[in-house]
Amino acid sequence: MMVKPKHQRLALALAALAAILGAGGLALSALKDQAAFFYAPGDVAGKPLPLGKNVRLGGMVEKGSLTHEADGVSIRFTVTDGKAKVPVAFRGVTPDLFREGSGVVAEGQFQADGSFAADNLLAKHDERYMPPQIAGKMHKTETLEK
Amino acid sequence: MDPRPNPRYPARVATLHAFANPTRFLKLARPLTPALFWSGVALALFGAWAGLTLTPPDDLQKETVRILYIHVPAAYLGMAGWGGLAVASLSYLIWRHPLANLAAVAMAPVGAVFAALCLITGSIWGRPAWGTWWEWDGRLTSMLLLFFVYIAYIALARADSDRGGDGRVPALFGVAGSVLLPIIHYSVIWWNTLHQGESLIRGKIDPSMVWPLFFTLGGFTLFFAGVVLMRMRAALASQKVEARMKRMAAQ
């Protein structure tokens, strides 16, 4: 039976597609650790800290951990990912969405004592979107009206 | 001009090929273009209006959340546009039908515009929500790459047709570029990213806020289809003009 050129092209094109996707997958699995935007506390726990390097630390701001210093612009809080915790110190203006129980990405350096000195904070929004009256049932929001 | 039934082809393939006939395509596309275009514009406008006035603000993001009614459809069409371009390119490579190549070329600038719209609206939202216009995280970087890949495809397709190429090289590029689509989609799962995870597919948007999104999603999609059909008809018309000019010059 004759092999039609159309079928030959179909087989070739599908093989090429599979090869491209396979190569992409291999490259990505090699990138896995390098392509992370930030370290989670659990990623660095029990490992030598990347001291003296600018890195990002991301996780949730632990509830009840946020304290303001007397100078009014310095804050301390704890970042947690459920596996480990890292205390963070920061001096400056925080983004609007920065709050306890919410996601944060801190840019700065790890210190020798295991804490993190942040130069910049980014708020990380989670994937939940809800109006205030529903959110109020889950975590208390203070408004001017109340 | 009726295609004779060919006993060697099963009926299903025969109907698919019938749609690939430019005359039949034009007969179908001529009334479909304005219908798709205007219904898309109407749905998108209604969705945008509803998203601006009828839905509550988000608890944390306040009013900035409303950009999602544009950002999400733009992101989806930026990616779906390349998906369509890749499928058209693949079928051009296999069946060599010129209409498939025409469709791929017609989709490229439209998809690129939506990808750009996604990047721009995301950046505008990122400033108040995250505290930054741009960060090199997995989702943002891979979407920017898709935008550049669109630009590269447009340049490649133009260069290929200028040199009298048959479009096979851009088609290969169109198929290869589809490797970015799973990367963009899974970037927020594979890597720690600043961008939040899946909201819509996993139903994490409250029903009172999500419903206008379906109008803008549907509207943008119809609009996309209408513009692509318009571009394909324009390309066919300009081919006809060129052929006629050649004939007249030869006389």
Side-chain angles (χ1 to χ4, degrees):
Chain A
M1 189 192 136
M2 274 264 294
V3 179
K4 272 198 236 156
K6 188 164 62 183
H7 294 155
Q8 208 171 7
R9 288 199 296 266
L10 177 64
L12 267 176
L14 290 180
L17 190 64
I20 290 163
L21 290 177
L26 278 177
L28 288 176
S29 70
L31 255 177
K32 191 126 191 143
D33 294 332
Q34 273 75 37
F37 185 66
F38 55 78
Y39 290 112
D43 297 338
V44 289
K47 285 182 201 144
L49 290 171
L51 291 176
K53 274 203 303 186
N54 281 313
V55 292
R56 298 194 191 91
L57 172 76
M60 301 298 270
V61 182
E62 196 176 31
K63 283 209 172 131
S65 73
L66 181 63
T67 55
H68 294 265
E69 307 266 302
D71 65 1
V73 288
S74 300
I75 54 168
R76 288 176 184 282
F77 56 92
T78 309
V79 169
T80 176
D81 63 348
K83 292 179 211 143
K85 294 174 185 180
V86 175
V88 178
F90 172 70
R91 191 184 144 85
V93 182
T94 60
D96 288 354
L97 290 191
F98 174 80
R99 60 193 68 203
E100 288 185 348
S102 211
V104 70
V105 175
E107 298 176 326
Q109 304 86 33
F110 278 103
Q111 307 296 302
D113 62 356
S115 71
F116 191 85
D119 314 316
N120 189 28
L121 291 186
L122 300 171
K124 180 169 161 41
H125 190 263
D126 66 13
E127 65 275 17
R128 289 169 303 163
Y129 296 74
M130 59 190 94
Q133 54 273 36
I134 293 175
K137 288 180 202 153
M138 298 173 68
H139 46 87
K140 246 189 140 48
T141 345
E142 284 177 40
T143 58
L144 285 172
E145 286 86 349
K146 278 178 197 163
Chain B
M1 195 173 86
D2 209 47
R4 273 164 295 169
N6 187 336
R8 278 169 62 206
Y9 280 177
R12 186 170 44 83
V13 177
T15 44
L16 267 179
H17 279 211
F19 279 113
N21 175 322
T23 321
R24 275 163 190 254
F25 166 78
L26 279 176
K27 211 173 157 188
L28 202 69
R30 213 167 280 135
L32 217 52
T33 307
L36 289 170
F37 182 90
W38 289 114
S39 59
V41 167
L43 280 182
L45 280 179
F46 174 75
W49 171 76
L52 282 174
T53 58
L54 300 183
T55 56
D58 183 70
D59 178 44
L60 294 176
Q61 305 165 57
K62 309 290 179 238
E63 306 291 344
T64 59
V65 72
R66 301 185 190 282
I67 207 161
L68 123 113
Y69 302 111
I70 302 297
H71 178 71
V72 173
Y76 145 72
L77 272 173
M79 291 171 69
W82 194 275
L85 192 155
V87 168
S89 296
L90 192 68
S91 44
Y92 176 64
L93 285 175
I94 297 168
W95 290 287
R96 291 285 154 80
H97 200 285
L99 216 50
N101 190 38
L102 212 65
V105 173
M107 278 187 257
V110 195
V113 165
F114 280 112
L117 189 62
C118 162
L119 292 165
I120 293 165
T121 52
S123 180
I124 293 171
W125 179 84
R127 184 65 191 87
W130 292 334
T132 179
W133 294 104
W134 183 264
E135 286 294 330
W136 294 101
D137 96 326
R139 175 54 76 75
L140 277 60
T141 309
S142 53
M143 195 67 198
L144 182 67
L145 268 179
L146 178 66
F147 175 69
F148 289 154
V149 163
Y150 268 119
I151 302 300
Y153 175 87
I154 293 167
L156 186 62
R158 194 164 295 173
D160 181 72
S161 80
D162 280 354
R163 287 163 180 243
D166 60 359
R168 264 185 292 173
V169 174
L172 270 174
F173 185 80
V175 174
S178 57
V179 73
L180 270 176
L181 298 181
I183 298 178
I184 297 171
H185 185 257
Y186 290 108
S187 56
V188 291
I189 298 166
W190 289 341
W191 305 311
N192 292 330
T193 53
L194 184 60
H195 194 286
Q196 55 266 40
E198 290 297 338
S199 299
L200 185 62
I201 297 170
R202 286 168 52 203
K204 297 287 182 143
I205 307 179
D206 192 77
S208 66
M209 298 169 72
V210 78
W211 64 269
L213 185 54
F214 298 117
F215 283 91
T216 51
L217 275 171
F220 274 48
T221 310
L222 295 175
F223 175 81
F224 180 92
V227 173
V228 168
L229 283 186
M230 209 184 288
R231 287 178 49 80
M232 287 177 72
R233 284 171 58 196
L236 280 173
S238 86
Q239 279 179 3
K240 215 186 238 174
V241 168
E242 260 170 53
R244 189 165 295 172
M245 300 268 269
K246 265 187 203 149
R247 268 206 310 276
M248 281 166 70
Q251 274 169 9

